[in-house]
Amino acid sequence: MWWYILKRIALMLPTLLGALTITFVVIQFVPGGPVEQIMAEARASQKGGGDAGLYKAGRDSDAKQIAELKKLYGFDKPAHVRYFEMLGSFLRFDLGRSFLQNKDVWQLIKEKLPVSISLGLWTFLFSYLISVPLGVAKAVREGSRFDVLTSMLVLVGYAIPGFVLGIFLIVLFAGGSFFEWFPLRGLTSDNWDELSWPARILDYFWHLTLPLVCLVIGSFAVTTMLTKNTFVEEVRKQYVLVARAKGLDDRRVLYKHIFRNALIPLVTGFPAAFVGAFFAGSVLIETLFSLDGLGLLAYESVVRRDYPVVLGSLYLFTLIALVVKLVSDLLYVAVDPRVQFGAAAR
């Protein structure tokens, strides 16, 4: 077991290094870097009669101003020097500073976490609370009208894009054309600090209702069908036939024998699903409902060429994904003693 853990940790390093290297190399060939972005914004501001900021860069901007910008952001150094400086900073868990927002990447991520935690946590909980009981009910009633009808509903829900459903809900329930039952912006109301705690909780879920509907409907289909198929497979195994032959009732066979074995794939997938729900937020859902989370941060940093945020976020999320994958494998051994990594390695 320990040898397997050490081997997996050793394999994390080239995986992490490869992801960072490929992204860094691609960035070098992407047109319209941060310097060009700032110069374009300065020209537009100056053309409109506004203040161009720190650098007065109009159409007559000379090479000296561009050189000062490149020095400010470190682009005056060769690419390989910047690459190794980046790796050195990441080894110290220094994710750098945003070019455009002038904040530490860590600070930006922490500012966006409340939105991502809210969306991710409740999406994960509601998805599993719906999909696991539904999957068990479908397995018990395999081939029945209930099974067929719920399969159709699950697949239809899975096929509808979240942002399309979001637009429909906004038009119908958020003041678009019909009703104005739900708010359209943020996680809380403007007077949230003045509310009592019960009122705060209600206000919080009032704001989350529509985004969660969009995210949950598209996410629980896979878990529902996985639960059903796993239970159906377990029902057909020999130990179930033996248990029933001994006179055990179906309810006891289901919850004492089948349930424990059938939940192994779901339990081992908990870490990845739980963490993935936090860091794989939907950019379109966050944009539709004006929720400033990690998904929107990643999208805007790519569009605006904010490379420290792009690389810092990639480093952090890749590292978390690798650790979670290792935890999932170890959890598989904990819930299923038949799995022996050491034996497989030999």
Side-chain angles (χ1 to χ4, degrees), residues 132-151 227-229 231-232 235-236 244 250-251 254-255 258:
V132 173
L134 180 59
V136 174
K138 287 172 62 61
V140 173
R141 300 170 178 84
E142 185 189 14
S144 66
R145 183 177 300 177
F146 171 82
D147 182 30
V148 174
L149 180 60
T150 53
S151 294
T227 303
K228 176 202 169 181
N229 294 335
F231 268 81
V232 170
V235 166
R236 296 169 179 171
R244 286 174 173 171
D250 290 342
R251 187 179 184 86
L254 175 64
Y255 290 103
I258 300 175

Side-chain angles (χ1 to χ4, degrees), residues 42-77:
R43 291 191 185 100
S45 178
Q46 191 177 53
K47 184 178 179 180
D51 184 10
L54 184 60
Y55 297 98
K56 295 293 185 178
R59 291 187 177 275
D60 58 344
S61 296
D62 55 16
K64 181 179 179 181
Q65 290 174 315
I66 297 176
E68 289 175 350
L69 282 171
K70 288 185 176 180
K71 183 177 180 180
L72 178 64
Y73 296 123
F75 290 106
D76 58 325
K77 302 176 183 178

Side-chain angles (χ1 to χ4, degrees), residues 117-251:
I117 289 175
S118 296
L119 292 176
L121 176 63
W122 295 115
T123 299
F124 172 82
L125 289 177
F126 285 134
S127 296
Y128 271 84
L129 287 175
I130 295 172
S131 59
V132 173
L134 180 59
V136 174
K138 287 172 62 61
V140 173
R141 300 170 178 84
E142 185 189 14
S144 66
R145 183 177 300 177
F146 171 82
D147 182 30
V148 174
L149 180 60
T150 53
S151 294
M152 291 177 60
L153 293 176
V154 165
L155 294 176
V156 169
Y158 182 72
I160 298 176
F163 71 93
V164 174
L165 180 60
I167 294 173
F168 173 77
L169 293 177
I170 289 172
V171 172
L172 189 59
F173 298 115
S177 299
F178 297 92
F179 307 103
E180 196 171 353
W181 293 348
F182 296 96
L184 191 57
R185 181 178 298 275
L187 284 178
T188 56
S189 299
D190 294 334
N191 64 336
W192 193 79
D193 293 331
E194 303 172 2
L195 301 175
S196 62
W197 275 109
R200 288 183 180 184
I201 295 173
L202 290 175
D203 181 75
Y204 170 73
F205 283 105
W206 182 46
H207 282 75
L208 276 178
T209 299
L210 297 186
L212 285 181
V213 169
C214 298
L215 292 171
V216 169
I217 285 181
S219 63
F220 76 91
V222 174
T223 307
T224 299
M225 301 309 294
L226 175 63
T227 303
K228 176 202 169 181
N229 294 335
T230 306
F231 268 81
V232 170
E233 182 181 353
E234 291 294 325
V235 166
R236 296 169 179 171
K237 289 187 176 179
Q238 189 68 33
Y239 74 90
V240 176
L241 299 177
V242 172
R244 286 174 173 171
K246 290 181 178 180
L248 297 179
D249 60 89
D250 290 342
R251 187 179 184 86

Side-chain angles (χ1 to χ4, degrees), residues 329 332-333 336-341:
D329 290 345
Y332 202 105
V333 176
D336 190 355
R338 296 171 297 177
V339 177
Q340 297 292 331
F341 289 126

